[in-house]
Amino acid sequence: MKKNKFYITTPIYYVNSKPHLGTLYSTLLADVAARWHKLKTEDVFFLTGTDEHGQKIQEKAEEVGMDPKAFCDSMIPGFEKVWKQYGIEYNKFIRTTDEYHEKAVVNWIKQLHKQGDIYKSTYTGLYCVPCENFIVASHDSEQNEEGKSVCPIHKRVLDEIAEESYFFRLSAYQDQLLEFYEKNPNFITPQERMQEVLSFVKSGLKDLSISRKSVSWGIPFPGDSEHTVYVWGDALNNYITAIGYGQSDKKSKESFEHWWPADVHVMAKDIVRFHAVYWPAFLMAAGVPLPKKLLVHGFILMGQDKMSKSRGGMVDPGQLAEWCGVEPVRYYLMRQMPISHDGQFTLKELEERISGDLANNLGNLLNRTLVLARNNKMNEIVAPEVFEPEAAALRKKCKEMVSFYSEEMDKYHYHIALAQMWKFISEVNAFFHAQEPWKLAKENKELFVEIISAVCHSLYTVGSLLWPVMPNKMEELLAALGHTFDIGSNYEAQARANEWKMTFTLQKMDSPLFTRPEIPELAQDKQEDKKTSKEKEVKKVETPDQITIHDFIKVKMIVGTIKACEPVKGSDKLYKLQVDLGKHGMRQIFSGIAKDFTPEQLIGKQGTVVANLAPRKMMGEESQGMMLFAKNEDGSLRLLTVGEAASDGSLVS
């Protein structure tokens, strides 16, 4: 029964502000994953919701002069509106103020208290209200110019707190956690986040404050009305209470038994510790199985800054949808933002990506195919018994693309999967041009139909596999080919089979599948002004050509082996490298080194890659990092290698 189920969650979002691009990104990652598993006819449950207790909500409600619950109620429609607008197809929206959730949390606290995992003491330390997190000064905080401890994420001075508190015996679960990590090395994706967690746990866990006496807006702590449950002790439980945990009726119990453990928890990197350390320890204490995987993504950056609620107004998701259309924005975020590290967002790149990839490459291919067939009165396209060599070669490329795409989608490497998909779309365009079907329509109608059939089969495969990313647009594409999308069909298995025996009844489209976006120049100018002013600010305080240690540690250099190297058509300088970074996966990297090396001199060689460089488009494809080379005095290049052989994926430090 459980074999074919897939349970995925987003973090639950604070309601102190409306959704911004960062929260949309997390939710889209989960929606695409849920739809991908639906495409494979799996039984899917997708949970999202809101986190409504705690100090920051209490303060925001007081600021606007509202009761906390009434304030939370007023914010929910904003989330529901954006999720509906962006086609987020969740199964349940949980609120931590839901009665069933609060009751389950109280019973969970009682259980842990009764078995000795919770005790009463006094807490003295530092606290970040926006994070709702106690900060370990020696481990987590940074110092400002005045020597005061500040939150490394929000850059605000931390509050000093000394108050009575109930504590969870986190330290008692240190060895169990380390044993779990050892047995489940792929618990966290990407792998480098696991290393951060291991380092934190091995440094020694201290017991965790599980209640607040100074915060009234929260679930009353059972047996002590002066305390409320610490917001993270409350919030993390949503993943199990939403599917029936803590409820006594038969239906709830069966639901929990069916769906738990979660297959994937999606989150940003700033809350990984709560999910990778505190949450597993809570579950261990309660005797509940642990989730299977944490999918941890980086931040969306604008210049040097993280996308946040304070910066969200400049790129409001609703405004983006009006300028560009919902599904092009979905595509851009999945294609442009690498799951493994931070990604840059610019309105200019958004516009270029939609115009180039969607309108020019995919949309025009569909339109030209339909128009050419209709103009030659060939609306029904029947597959030939045997394809000619050129079409057969395209079919082979299609099969290879499907295999690569599926594997990367299963690993949540959406940006890599989509890069490969668009490489194939470019190959279909090249095939279309090379075969010149507009000439064959008059000279050889049989071959004309075969060429159109090959393109239609390619488009059908593309449309079905891209459905998780752009569901409505891909249903339009399939309808234009004469096919109705059916969620009950296993499109992934069908694409892998690659039979190419379909008949297509081509339909006229009333409007283009994609159009170029219309982003006001003023909006782009404002974003550039922000970036420029930030760069000027940095230049004022730093000597040219010097960087600080904080700049240097941002650069992530990883050892990798060059598995493939090929010249890039249309360039006499570029090679396209496929570099194996071990646990970090395979990267496609363009490098202007063709004049210094032959492919044979590079294949199999181990070198160093800057792995967290934002992807950039080169010759119509994506370069996903930088391979490092040393330049001699005569200008010749040498591959920057390691002194002794190291495992692919090793971090250079």
Side-chain angles (χ1 to χ4, degrees):
M1 185 177 179
K2 280 195 171 187
K3 188 175 182 181
N4 200 37
K5 73 92 181 173
F6 181 75
Y7 176 33
I8 188 166
T9 71
T10 71
I12 50 174
Y13 305 110
Y14 285 121
V15 294
N16 58 331
S17 184
K18 64 182 181 179
H20 59 81
L21 207 58
T23 53
L24 175 62
Y25 178 58
S26 294
T27 313
L28 282 175
L29 285 172
D31 186 67
V32 170
R35 289 176 181 275
W36 174 247
H37 284 268
K38 288 179 183 178
L39 201 70
K40 299 194 287 185
T41 64
E42 294 181 23
D43 189 14
V44 173
F45 194 95
F46 172 16
L47 175 70
T48 191
T50 48
D51 187 356
E52 302 181 17
H53 290 130
Q55 186 174 349
K56 74 165 81 173
I57 304 300
Q58 180 177 314
E59 291 179 353
K60 187 66 177 180
E62 290 172 354
E63 182 185 315
V64 297
M66 294 179 71
D67 170 79
K69 180 59 165 63
F71 170 75
C72 293
D73 291 344
S74 73
M75 298 300 291
I76 299 304
F79 283 85
E80 293 177 335
K81 178 182 177 181
V82 173
W83 293 171
K84 182 178 180 181
Q85 182 179 30
Y86 275 87
I88 306 298
E89 207 170 62
Y90 56 82
N91 295 86
K92 187 165 187 175
F93 188 102
I94 187 172
R95 298 178 59 182
T96 54
T97 52
D98 290 338
E99 184 179 359
Y100 70 88
H101 170 79
E102 293 187 345
K103 285 182 178 179
V105 170
V106 167
N107 290 333
W108 172 75
I109 292 285
K110 286 180 178 179
Q111 177 190 339
L112 268 56
H113 202 174
K114 184 178 180 181
Q115 67 193 37
D117 277 310
I118 291 177
Y119 64 92
K120 195 175 187 179
S121 186
T122 302
Y123 176 81
T124 302
L126 303 173
Y127 191 78
C128 175
V129 174
C131 286
E132 296 281 15
N133 185 25
F134 297 98
I135 303 294
V136 181
S138 60
H139 197 285
D140 297 322
S141 67
E142 297 176 354
Q143 301 292 313
N144 65 9
E145 294 177 354
E146 300 173 355
K148 294 183 178 181
S149 296
V150 298
C151 172
I153 295 172
H154 295 95
K155 309 301 181 185
R156 70 185 297 278
V157 176
L158 297 169
D159 296 336
E160 293 186 11
I161 293 178
E163 65 179 22
E164 181 183 80
S165 177
Y166 285 88
F167 286 79
F168 170 71
R169 295 186 191 277
L170 182 64
S171 59
Y173 292 91
Q174 179 170 325
D175 291 342
Q176 287 186 51
L177 286 168
L178 291 173
E179 182 182 359
F180 171 75
Y181 301 147
E182 184 178 355
K183 290 181 178 179
N184 300 273
N186 297 317
F187 176 56
I188 304 176
T189 295
Q191 190 66 32
E192 51 260 44
R193 303 293 174 212
M194 175 65 94
Q195 300 306 315
E196 296 168 7
V197 169
L198 279 171
S199 176
F200 174 74
V201 176
K202 287 179 179 179
S203 69
L205 293 179
K206 295 182 179 181
D207 291 347
L208 178 69
S209 175
I210 199 72
S211 76
R212 295 295 308 277
K213 196 173 182 178
S214 59
V215 180
S216 60
W217 177 237
I219 299 174
F221 199 88
D224 195 335
S225 59
E226 291 186 342
H227 289 255
T228 55
V229 178
Y230 171 47
V231 65
W232 280 99
D234 160 14
L236 289 165
N237 276 283
N238 92 90
Y239 301 131
I240 53 178
T241 62
I243 53 172
Y245 177 82
Q247 299 174 56
S248 58
D249 63 286
K250 182 180 178 182
K251 185 177 180 181
S252 296
K253 288 182 177 179
E254 288 178 348
S255 172
F256 179 69
E257 181 65 26
H258 175 64
W259 292 112
W260 193 258
D263 292 272
V264 184
H265 288 322
V266 177
M267 72 208 65
K269 64 182 181 181
D270 56 338
I271 57 173
V272 65
R273 186 180 301 167
F274 300 98
H275 289 79
V277 181
Y278 305 156
W279 179 226
F282 290 165
L283 292 170
M284 288 174 176
V288 176
L290 272 57
K292 296 179 182 179
K293 183 178 286 294
L294 308 183
L295 179 60
V296 184
H297 64 80
F299 295 144
I300 297 180
L301 302 178
M302 293 181 64
Q304 301 296 315
D305 296 321
K306 169 194 170 187
M307 184 70 65
S308 64
K309 290 173 181 175
S310 62
R311 297 175 60 81
M314 189 162 58
V315 282
D316 175 69
Q319 186 67 75
L320 283 182
E322 289 183 22
W323 289 339
C324 307
V326 165
E327 298 201 346
V329 175
R330 284 177 61 110
Y331 167 74
Y332 171 80
L333 291 175
M334 295 302 99
R335 173 75 190 269
Q336 190 74 9
M337 305 300 159
I339 195 72
S340 55
H341 50 276
D342 298 343
Q344 285 284 344
F345 173 89
T346 72
L347 292 172
K348 183 178 180 181
E349 287 182 350
L350 170 63
E351 189 172 49
E352 290 174 350
R353 181 69 75 182
I354 295 172
S355 297
D357 290 2
L358 299 182
N360 293 344
N361 212 347
L362 178 56
N364 275 350
L365 176 62
L366 174 65
N367 184 61
R368 282 179 296 157
T369 303
L370 297 177
V371 170
L372 184 60
R374 187 172 67 251
N375 287 346
N376 287 279
K377 296 181 172 49
M378 293 286 184
N379 292 333
E380 185 171 90
I381 306 298
V382 180
E385 290 292 328
V386 179
F387 283 94
E388 292 295 321
E390 292 81 3
L394 182 65
R395 180 182 176 185
K396 182 182 178 182
K397 289 179 180 179
C398 184
K399 185 176 181 66
E400 292 169 351
M401 177 276 292
V402 171
S403 177
F404 185 95
Y405 180 87
S406 295
E407 289 172 10
E408 296 303 320
M409 290 292 287
D410 285 339
K411 291 187 287 188
Y412 311 101
H413 295 164
Y414 301 146
H415 63 297
I416 297 175
L418 291 170
Q420 187 70 16
M421 174 70 80
W422 253 262
K423 176 185 175 184
F424 174 68
I425 293 171
S426 295
E427 289 171 336
V428 181
N429 269 298
F431 168 82
F432 187 93
H433 283 293
Q435 298 306 308
E436 298 182 317
W438 50 90
K439 293 182 179 179
L440 293 173
K442 298 176 181 178
E443 302 168 0
N444 188 335
K445 287 201 173 183
E446 185 176 339
L447 187 54
F448 171 82
V449 171
E450 178 184 326
I451 300 306
I452 299 299
S453 176
V455 173
C456 287
H457 277 97
S458 300
L459 285 169
Y460 181 89
T461 303
V462 167
S464 58
L465 295 185
L466 281 179
W467 179 81
V469 180
M470 297 181 285
N472 293 325
K473 288 295 184 182
M474 293 307 101
E475 288 178 22
E476 286 182 34
L477 185 153
L478 296 180
L481 299 176
H483 290 268
T484 302
F485 181 81
D486 177 14
I487 194 60
S489 298
N490 191 327
Y491 285 98
E492 193 262 354
Q494 187 182 118
R496 282 185 180 275
N498 195 45
E499 291 183 347
W500 281 30
K501 295 180 179 178
M502 301 181 73
T503 296
F504 299 96
T505 306
L506 305 184
Q507 307 295 316
K508 182 180 179 180
M509 298 188 71
D510 295 330
S511 59
L513 189 63
F514 297 104
T515 57
R516 292 170 180 79
E518 296 181 2
I519 302 176
E521 289 186 14
L522 181 61
Q524 298 193 43
D525 291 342
K526 282 183 178 180
Q527 191 177 29
E528 287 300 313
D529 288 344
K530 287 274 185 181
K531 182 179 177 182
T532 302
S533 61
K534 183 71 178 180
E535 289 171 348
K536 287 179 179 177
E537 180 184 327
V538 171
K539 288 178 181 178
K540 285 179 183 177
V541 298
E542 292 183 4
T543 304
D545 298 329
Q546 287 187 344
I547 63 172
T548 67
I549 186 63
H550 299 294
D551 294 319
F552 179 74
I553 61 176
K554 292 178 184 177
V555 181
K556 187 167 293 182
M557 292 181 286
I558 295 174
V559 175
T561 298
I562 300 172
K563 295 295 186 180
C565 173
E566 60 181 272
V568 176
K569 188 176 180 180
S571 173
D572 59 355
K573 297 180 180 179
L574 287 174
Y575 277 155
K576 181 166 64 176
L577 310 175
Q578 301 296 331
V579 185
D580 186 355
L581 297 185
K583 60 190 177 186
H584 305 285
M586 193 75 70
R587 293 284 184 91
Q588 176 174 282
I589 297 173
F590 284 77
S591 192
I593 53 173
K595 293 184 178 180
D596 292 88
F597 302 92
T598 64
E600 292 72 25
Q601 289 175 314
L602 293 171
I603 295 172
K605 294 295 178 63
Q606 195 172 60
T608 306
V609 172
V610 177
N612 62 337
L613 189 68
R616 57 175 179 159
K617 199 165 185 179
M618 299 180 72
M619 303 300 288
E621 296 188 51
E622 189 170 81
S623 182
Q624 299 157 348
M626 177 185 290
M627 200 86 190
L628 298 182
F629 294 82
K631 182 178 285 188
N632 292 328
E633 290 185 3
D634 62 2
S636 62
L637 298 177
R638 295 291 182 271
L639 179 64
L640 195 62
T641 60
V642 290
E644 298 179 9
S647 300
D648 288 336
S650 299
L651 188 65
V652 178
S653 59

